[in-house]
Amino acid sequence: AQTVTQSQPEMSVQEAETVTLSCTYDTSESNYYLFWYKQPPSRQMILVIRQEAYKQQNATENRFSVNFQKAAKSFSLKISDSQLGDTAMYFCAAPSGNTPLVFGKGTRLSVIA
Amino acid sequence: EAGVAQSPRYKIIEKRQSVAFWCNPISGHATLYWYQQILGQGPKLLIQFQNNGVVDDSQLPKDRFSAERLKGVDSTLKIQPAKLEDSAVYLCASSFGGGLYEQYFGPGTRLTVT
């Protein structure tokens, strides 16, 4: 069973606009971290942002922020002022059982000039 | 700080042949992960090491895949014999500790089995 679900296989956004990528997860952990990773075309995976589950405040990292709804097990990523360099696959990741991180299937984001 | 190193970057083999991948994690990182990423999907964990011990290998196809981290630093992942469905990118990642820590990924090895 898929424990991390990204419901948007592909998205596009105009340069300088804002876009939100969705993610839901399922975990029985009480203290955990959630992550968004970015994988540009033919380049390696890098961390975009992480959220500590016990913190109510949503994480923010420059133009990237999350909307974390713990009760709903929802963890969406908002990218403001989108740039061409934001074009990439974005993966949401959460712990599941004994596995530290389970990744979703990804959302392919295209930023259009 | 040097990142996670992997080699080779690309490998093409015929089915039933064997192949090995190498990973050198970030210095000081106790935890090392091997992932398989099939085209169009997210990475799937194959095996997790803590120092030189295996923490989780429940998703490793042990009839053909093996991995080791003898001195708690470098690691190798081997496939013998390879199947067509093993074509994927094999990612190595490392972290300072377990699940609460960020994982740093290497560039990956793209394997094509013909």
Side-chain angles (χ1 to χ4, degrees):
Chain A
Q2 184 70 28
T3 58
V4 178
T5 303
Q6 295 181 247
S7 59
Q8 306 146 317
E10 293 189 30
M11 294 190 73
S12 61
V13 62
Q14 292 285 338
E15 200 174 6
E17 297 293 306
T18 295
V19 64
T20 299
L21 310 182
S22 302
C23 174
T24 58
Y25 63 95
D26 189 15
T27 183
S28 58
E29 301 293 319
S30 56
N31 182 25
Y32 55 91
Y33 280 57
L34 300 166
F35 300 85
W36 277 98
Y37 280 87
K38 168 185 178 181
Q39 190 174 41
S42 301
R43 294 181 61 188
Q44 65 195 74
M45 191 100 70
I46 58 173
L47 179 70
V48 174
I49 196 165
R50 68 177 175 180
Q51 173 75 43
E52 300 168 49
Y54 62 87
K55 286 190 175 180
Q56 291 186 333
Q57 186 174 6
N58 289 324
T60 298
E61 193 72 39
N62 299 316
R63 298 182 294 106
F64 300 88
S65 61
V66 302
N67 183 2
F68 174 50
Q69 303 289 330
K70 190 172 184 179
K73 294 184 178 177
S74 170
F75 178 56
S76 60
L77 174 69
K78 185 171 84 170
I79 305 174
S80 304
D81 185 26
S82 297
Q83 301 176 1
L84 295 177
D86 295 334
T87 293
M89 284 290 290
Y90 287 82
F91 294 98
C92 174
S96 179
N98 293 325
T99 304
L101 282 184
V102 172
F103 288 80
K105 292 186 176 181
T107 296
R108 183 180 304 278
L109 177 68
S110 298
V111 180
I112 302 166
Chain B
E1 164 179 277
V4 177
Q6 288 188 248
S7 68
R9 293 294 310 277
Y10 305 91
K11 190 74 177 179
I12 301 173
I13 62 171
E14 295 181 353
K15 60 183 178 183
R16 291 186 290 274
Q17 287 186 325
S18 63
V19 64
F21 312 127
W22 173 82
C23 173
N24 182 240
I26 291 173
S27 177
H29 280 192
T31 308
L32 185 147
Y33 310 84
W34 282 102
Y35 290 89
Q36 180 192 57
Q37 185 177 21
I38 293 173
L39 186 64
Q41 298 183 20
K44 183 185 83 170
L45 181 68
L46 293 175
I47 189 168
Q48 176 189 352
F49 291 95
Q50 182 77 16
N51 296 310
N52 60 348
V54 175
V55 174
D56 179 16
D57 63 356
S58 58
Q59 299 190 83
L60 187 73
K62 298 180 186 65
D63 58 333
R64 297 183 301 105
F65 286 64
S66 64
E68 61 183 11
R69 193 184 184 200
L70 292 177
K71 297 183 179 179
V73 181
D74 293 9
S75 177
T76 56
L77 175 70
K78 297 179 181 178
I79 308 175
Q80 182 178 17
K83 293 185 175 181
L84 295 177
E85 58 261 37
D86 298 332
S87 293
V89 175
Y90 291 85
L91 298 169
C92 179
S94 70
S95 68
F96 182 76
L100 299 182
Y101 293 90
E102 173 188 353
Q103 294 184 26
Y104 294 81
F105 284 81
T109 297
R110 183 177 299 277
L111 174 67
T112 302
V113 183
T114 63

